[in-house]
Amino acid sequence: MTNPPSTPTSSTPTSAPAYSVVVPTIGRPCLADCLRALATATGHPPTEIVVVDDRPHPAGALPLEAAGVLRGRVRTLRSGGRGPAAARNTGWRTVTTPWTVFLDDDVQVLPDWSRRLAGDLAAADAVTGGIQGRLSVPLPADRRPTDWERGTAGLERAAWATADMAYRTAALAQVDGFDERFPRAFREDADVALRVRDAGWTLRRGQRTTRHPVRPADRWVSVRAQRGNADDALMTRLHGRDWWIRAGAPRGRLTRHALVTAGALVAAGCAAARRPRAAGAAGALWALGTAEFALARIAPGPRTAREVTTMLSTSLVIPPLAVRHWLDGRIRHRGAAPLRSTR
């Protein structure tokens, strides 16, 4: 491993290492809130803020004036709509500070964030390659959260999420940054974290906190999210079957989805072959599995008519879609090789 630069041990802002903030964006209105929050955080401001415009065809200006007193430190780059991994690479590869802090455009740092980040960076020893911020997801106080809201709240327990993640720039350079074969904001953060640790660096959690509001979403958002199963297949190819444990990621329900999907396929096949008893047994497996999945999503939620209807309808289609995307990922990435670190 290359020798990382030493860092001060004092936790005062004046002795903390310099850092740059990289914010990938697709031009969502929440970018203004993100920049505004950065401007109001006091104690140890970033050397620069690199906003990476990842819109395939940018239309309209980004709300950079929201950066307020930090507006002079903001510069923009374009990454051509290639996804958040490519956008982050476009940003950090131009950074000259010892540390690069990644923020998503839908988060809002707290007023003491800069000061606490200074403490996080100053306390890093020579082998600390990354320091994760703590995420806080505000949920409704007057009702139970929806399935989508609960899913977003899971970020509070996520490991190495780039919604707020500081990496030593030298560590990123050593592992060649993010793997751009991950096209979505999913698993690209776990992948780079595993490669940074495999290169000999350590990762830890810091003391700073960033607010992550639940963004608006339509009722089919959970169906579209199943595309991430293809990224899970790529993770397995790159990091082995135990990557879930090493990355601190939840295992998910893919095995159950496969059983439910198999039940539906077997039931259809047996019915076509005029084997009603076998078709009934397989159909019962499918029905029980689908009902269990739907109830597991409905029970902790607000149980409104809209939420119940959404959970029932999406629970029917999620299992086969999850399996389809996973199989697609297995086929598409069957020859994928890990990115190599530079020694």
Side-chain angles (χ1 to χ4, degrees):
M1 185 182 77
T2 55
N3 292 325
S6 60
T7 56
T9 58
S10 170
S11 61
T12 60
T14 55
S15 63
Y19 69 97
S20 300
V21 172
V22 173
V23 184
T25 185
I26 53 175
R28 297 184 293 188
C30 54
L31 174 62
D33 295 326
C34 177
L35 295 176
R36 194 173 296 113
L38 272 172
T40 58
T42 59
H44 185 46
T47 298
E48 62 176 347
I49 302 172
V50 184
V51 176
V52 185
D53 188 344
D54 195 45
R55 294 177 291 180
H57 306 288
L62 298 174
L64 303 182
E65 296 304 322
V69 296
L70 297 179
R71 177 63 182 92
R73 305 189 185 199
V74 177
R75 60 186 175 90
T76 59
L77 300 171
R78 290 183 178 176
S79 51
R82 294 181 291 128
R88 293 191 189 101
N89 282 341
T90 298
W92 78 260
R93 285 171 178 157
T94 68
V95 164
T96 59
T97 51
W99 287 87
T100 301
V101 181
F102 297 102
L103 294 176
D104 286 348
D105 68 354
D106 58 352
V107 304
Q108 300 155 16
V109 302
L110 298 188
D112 64 350
W113 182 84
S114 293
R115 178 175 58 81
R116 290 186 178 275
L117 173 64
D120 289 343
L121 300 184
D125 60 24
V127 295
T128 299
I131 308 172
Q132 178 181 347
R134 300 174 186 269
L135 298 177
S136 173
V137 179
L139 295 176
D142 58 343
R143 60 167 174 80
R144 294 180 176 184
T146 65
D147 179 70
W148 172 242
E149 291 166 341
R150 295 193 306 275
T152 303
L155 289 170
E156 294 183 341
R157 303 180 298 276
W160 327 127
T162 41
D164 180 355
M165 184 71 192
Y167 275 109
R168 202 182 289 272
T169 308
L172 291 171
Q174 184 178 344
V175 302
D176 200 24
F178 292 84
D179 191 333
E180 297 180 14
R181 289 173 291 186
F182 291 91
R184 287 166 286 274
F186 191 69
R187 302 305 189 206
E188 84 292 354
D189 48 5
D191 169 74
V192 74
L194 289 179
R195 288 188 289 111
V196 166
R197 290 202 299 191
D198 289 346
W201 302 87
T202 61
L203 304 177
R204 66 178 181 84
R205 294 180 183 269
Q207 298 300 312
R208 65 194 187 277
T209 299
T210 293
R211 184 174 180 267
H212 192 305
V214 179
R215 73 174 188 269
D218 61 59
R219 65 196 316 168
W220 300 106
V221 63
S222 60
V223 174
R224 293 192 298 274
Q226 300 313 307
R227 298 168 183 165
N229 284 283
D231 303 313
D232 285 346
L234 177 56
M235 286 291 290
T236 300
R237 175 67 186 175
L238 297 177
H239 299 286
R241 294 184 179 276
D242 68 340
W243 72 264
W244 305 87
I245 299 171
R246 292 185 290 121
R251 187 63 179 88
R253 297 178 65 105
L254 182 62
T255 300
R256 296 186 194 183
H257 290 336
L259 290 173
V260 170
T261 302
L265 293 174
V266 171
C270 289
R274 297 183 179 180
R275 299 174 59 188
R277 185 172 297 179
L285 172 65
W286 168 81
L288 287 173
T290 301
E292 183 275 331
F293 181 40
L295 288 174
R297 302 170 72 205
I298 292 170
R303 305 180 193 177
T304 61
R306 176 181 173 82
E307 179 73 359
V308 170
T309 301
T310 299
M311 294 301 98
L312 290 173
S313 56
T314 56
S315 294
L316 287 169
V317 298
I318 282 176
L321 276 178
V323 173
R324 173 193 166 189
H325 286 300
W326 181 79
L327 289 173
D328 177 67
R330 291 275 294 181
I331 295 170
R332 183 157 26 104
H333 301 302
R334 62 187 180 278
L339 296 183
R340 296 187 179 276
S341 299
T342 57
R343 298 287 180 174

